Amino acid sequence: MKTAIAIAALALALSGCTVASGRLDTRAGLEPIPGSITYGGQPRTKLTRSPVGSIVRHTFRNELGQRVDEVYVVEPDRSLKIVSRKVCRGPFCDD
């Protein structure tokens, strides 16, 4: 009987938990955060061989240890523009 009560209490406690799996932010003009390729300015090396409009993906950990996935697009002047950012806030991320 004690085991059944303990299992029921655990199930009730776990049912109240939620996991935020991530956030996809597609606003125009995302600001770079620490860890972003463009944080502190554009990279010194130009992407001369990358076609304009090509996509560059970058994954890193933020200051809270959360995984951050960013997507950049190569602009006509060969600079990078952040077009989306996904922050994985839970222990598991849906890839």
Side-chain angles (χ1 to χ4, degrees):
M1 184 67 168
K2 290 181 182 180
T3 305
I5 293 173
I7 291 173
L10 182 62
L12 182 62
L14 288 176
S15 68
C17 296
T18 59
V19 175
S21 62
R23 174 177 62 96
L24 182 62
D25 196 347
T26 56
R27 298 185 318 242
L30 285 171
E31 295 295 322
I33 60 174
S36 296
I37 295 173
T38 56
Y39 184 72
Q42 290 289 326
R44 285 182 278 204
T45 58
K46 295 288 185 180
L47 302 167
T48 56
R49 295 185 182 178
S50 299
V52 172
S54 61
I55 293 181
V56 177
R57 297 184 187 277
H58 179 57
T59 301
F60 61 95
R61 297 268 176 192
N62 65 9
E63 62 275 356
L64 300 175
Q66 301 165 329
R67 192 178 82 195
V68 179
D69 297 317
E70 291 184 333
V71 177
Y72 296 82
V73 171
V74 178
E75 296 283 290
D77 65 351
R78 304 296 185 194
S79 64
L80 293 173
K81 177 182 177 184
I82 304 173
V83 293
S84 72
R85 177 181 295 136
K86 179 182 175 186
V87 178
C88 180
R89 300 185 194 288
F92 305 105
C93 291
D94 50 345
D95 293 344

